[in-house]
């Protein structure tokens, strides 16, 4: 009787110890809490980048539409690309500061 209680107690202890080790490895291992935090951080960065790209796409669509349909926008863009000015206008170019 005493031996069976001792064996049962040892079995329960071994089972709890095994479960505890499993929990520690699951939380601290390569797929644990740290990995989950890193994945959430990466996801947030990708969502921010995606939102910025969507905003840029919308701005470019607006610009394309303006260039296709608005003669004044077409003229301004052509003059900007060619560096030309209308009579009486001045072009001022500012060079970025040189890196030292």
């Amino acid at each position: 009787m005493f031996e069976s209680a001792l064996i049962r107690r040892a079995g329960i202890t071994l089972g709890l110890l095994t479960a505890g080790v499993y929990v520690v490895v699951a939380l601290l291992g390569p797929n644990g809490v740290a990995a989950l935090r890193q994945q959430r951080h990466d996801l947030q960065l990708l969502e921010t980048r995606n939102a910025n790209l969507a905003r840029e796409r919308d701005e470019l669509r607006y610009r394309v539409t303006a260039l296709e349909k608005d003669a004044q926008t077409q003229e301004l863009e052509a003059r900007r690309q060619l560096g030309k000015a209308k009579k009486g206008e001045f072009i001022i170019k500012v060079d970025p500061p040189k890196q030292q």
Side-chain angles (χ1 to χ4, degrees):
M1 179 98 174
F2 178 72
E3 290 178 4
S4 68
L6 185 62
I7 291 173
R8 185 179 312 149
R9 191 174 290 166
I12 291 172
T13 303
L14 183 60
L16 289 174
L17 182 62
T18 303
V21 168
Y22 177 77
V23 167
V24 168
V25 169
L27 290 176
L28 301 178
N31 294 323
V33 175
L36 180 61
R37 283 185 184 156
Q38 183 63 43
Q39 288 176 349
R40 285 183 179 170
H41 176 72
D42 293 347
L43 178 62
Q44 185 178 11
L45 289 176
L46 289 172
E47 287 175 343
T48 302
R49 183 172 180 228
N50 191 33
N52 289 338
L53 288 171
R55 187 171 30 261
E56 183 180 342
R57 179 202 60 216
D58 293 342
E59 290 171 0
L60 289 171
R61 280 185 181 162
Y62 177 79
R63 184 156 168 72
V64 166
T65 301
L67 285 169
E68 288 174 345
K69 297 182 178 182
D70 185 20
Q72 185 179 5
T73 303
Q74 293 171 359
E75 179 188 348
L76 288 171
E77 182 62 23
R79 288 191 295 131
R80 185 192 66 78
Q81 287 184 13
L82 297 173
K84 302 289 182 176
K86 283 184 175 181
K87 195 173 195 176
E89 288 182 338
F90 296 98
I91 296 176
I92 300 173
K93 291 186 178 182
V94 178
D95 294 328
K98 294 182 180 178
Q99 303 269 335
Q100 291 183 3

